[in-house]
Amino acid sequence: MEPSKVAWGIEVGEFALKAIRLALVDNEIHVTDFAVIPHQKVLSDPSVSDREGMIRVTLGAFVQAHAEQIASEPIIMSLPGNVGFARFATIPAVDAKTLRSMIEYEAKQQIPFPIEEVEWDSHVLPADESGQCAIGIFAVTKERLHELLTLYAECGLEPDVLTLSSVAVYNALHYDLELEDKPQPISCIDIGTNSSDLVVIAGGKFWIRTFPVGGSQFTSAIADAFASQNVNYTRAEKIKLDRAPSEKVLRARTMAMRRVTGQLVDEIGRSREFYQSANEGVDLKRAYGVGSTLKISGLRTKIASDLQMTVDRLEEFKRIQLSGPDAADFAAHSINLLTALGLAIQGLGLAKVELNLSPLSRVRRKIWKSKTPWFIASAAVLLLCSVAMFTRGTLDYLQIENLKEAGANASALEKDGKILVNDLIAVQQINKKNGDKNVLDLFENRGVWPYLIQDTYSALSQGGGVLSDKKRSPQAAEIGNDPVEILKIPLDERNLIELKDFSGQKSFNSEKNEQRIALSVSFSFTNKDSFAFLKRDEGVLAWLKDPKNRPDAPYTIDEASVLITNMAEVQGGVRKEETPTGQPNGSESGVTMASGDQSAPDPNSGGGGSVLKKKTRDQALEDDPTTRNKLGLGAGGDPSGGVDGNTDDGSGGSPTSGGRTGPRRAKTITVASDEKLPAIDLAKDAPIPAAPTLIKERGKDVRYEGILRFTVVLKFPKASLVAAEGSQ
């Protein structure tokens, strides 16, 4: 069944953007979509210099994924508790007109800014037995509101309603826990990133207090305590949320967070005592905990113990569920979607507290925009009435003129149609005559490329040359698949010449009636003596210039085009233009040695021809974690897997060496008040593994590279190419 109403609730927090889409179907709420998009960094991280830019990236990702929906559906967004104000006051129960003036008076008294500089709204709570009426006053400065709305508008978001996140939490709890008829008061401790909220719910009433203690203070305390270990804010965040740290780390973390934990407990206790003193007979013995910070092991127990109250972590929703393939993902994130849920519930019109802090001018503009279709309809009716006042003769004249114009257009269309039909008949006749020829042209030169590839590999295989009357060929291990055996061969003794790139560009000389293909072959090797392949008599170039080596090839090689360019030595990732000793004289060998050849085709472009590329053996080794584990290599070929190549305990950097691999049992650490911070070696306790390679591009290993270029002239007639294909 189609939903009668839908709404989006969006919260832009310090850690991530959280959004949920609710639909109202037969008076029941259904989750139809949700999103949790973390920022690139936690916005409270001191290293974040462009906070708004990072928010733009996150909002842009969300808008791009849900552009069609958010363009036409209501959007309710939240304001963090530390941005707005929540104040509560008690006034006598009066009539509606007097009530409004009294609320305005209380707003001017309670809001710590001039009333002209804020946007504010209020909510009237039910009167008590004595006839006293409690009101909640909520406000945010116009300057801060303008900054947020401008940022959202730049990203394509225009919220219909803005409300405080603490009010959204109250609406979500009131709906999900069905607190309408439960007189027993409960409280909710929502620990955010920069601030925390204590929300008290008692029957149809509620009370909110925000205090400036949040998860970022815990993270900063850990970062300060571990400063000697070069722990930044991001690493401290991971240490904070680690559910099974080592005993050393757990003890140090507990000591580092002791001061912030005490501040949090004091603020919660002070807020609870204030509420209980203002509401006689109320004893808050139970609270629900919300927020990722409560995942810190031992924190919830500490709060419950010090305040002598039960603190239950809200793990899942009671009335809100999602079915389908995303159900497990939704369940994992559901508790972090509490604020977004309350926002969407208000968008459906089911919230206990309807609060809107959007600028009044903006609200009016949206109202007028929603009435625009009615205005257009009214204007259209007036226009039709005006047209009806014209005489019948004028209307008949206009109809005759329209018929004349339509007749002229029909004649023009008929003429154009005849021209198109004649063109179609002509094309069909041409295709009937030349159709077979066009199909056969698809097979042109198809048999050339296998010969080119075979000749290239055959030529490069001559790169070993003959040194001291002994032909030097790649060793068996070099052309095998076992990296261990390859690494046993010293780098400068490896004879393999590796083809890195293969490309060709086709051209046609109409004057000579010749078809040509210019080949560019990029190769590399590590044996310095392999420059012997430049010898005229027995190297690569001589092999290519000798027509006896390819009697059946469907082409001839232009000897003048055969050359090797871009020869260079590469050490530590730096390309050196000087050539190793023992290089043959360029005038004798016909070889050009240069750092670049602007006249030759780009070997990486492959423009106009077929391009063949392959991964090097080093790249394949880096991409294969199984091979790296087999070799026991770390970054840059370091076999230790550690940061500095070794570990004190001989574990070789393995996270599971010398111990159990299963999850460890949580430990309770008792910290003495005078205990000092233990020394922790993070490089030893948490080594960072690195990737292996056959050639250390950033080390002292040296390799050589170059480009082989030659041009082939295809033989005629074309029938010979077809015959060559049949013989392969």
Side-chain angles (χ1 to χ4, degrees), residues 46 122 202 221 224 385 430 485 532 537 562 591 594 627 634 664:
S122 62
D224 293 341
C385 293
I430 295 173
E485 296 299 324
D537 298 334
V562 180
V591 179
T627 305
R664 291 185 297 175

Side-chain angles (χ1 to χ4, degrees), residues 401-415:
E401 291 298 323
N402 291 335
L403 289 174
K404 290 181 179 180
E405 183 178 355
N409 292 336
S411 299
L413 289 174
E414 181 182 8
K415 183 178 179 180

Side-chain angles (χ1 to χ4, degrees), residues 22 29 31 168-180 182 186 201 288 314-321 330 334-335 337-338 341-342 345 350-352:
L22 298 182
I29 292 179
V31 179
V169 169
Y170 165 73
N171 285 329
L173 290 174
H174 193 277
Y175 176 84
D176 192 56
L177 300 180
E178 299 181 286
L179 301 178
E180 182 68 35
K182 294 182 179 180
I186 65 169
I201 306 171
Y288 288 99
L314 198 60
E315 297 292 348
E316 60 182 2
F317 297 133
K318 307 297 183 184
R319 301 176 64 187
I320 304 296
Q321 301 294 333
F330 177 76
S334 60
I335 193 58
L337 292 168
L338 186 66
L341 175 63
I345 288 175
L350 301 178
K352 185 67 175 177

Side-chain angles (χ1 to χ4, degrees), residues 8-11 76-78 163-164 168 339-347:
W8 277 95
I10 303 174
E11 176 194 11
I76 295 81
M77 299 186 69
S78 66
T163 185
L164 293 180
T339 301
L341 175 63
L343 297 171
I345 288 175
Q346 180 173 344

Side-chain angles (χ1 to χ4, degrees), residues 407-430:
N409 292 336
S411 299
L413 289 174
E414 181 182 8
K415 183 178 179 180
D416 293 340
K418 290 180 179 179
I419 294 174
L420 292 174
V421 170
N422 293 334
D423 291 343
L424 175 61
I425 294 173
V427 171
Q428 288 175 339
Q429 291 175 350
I430 295 173

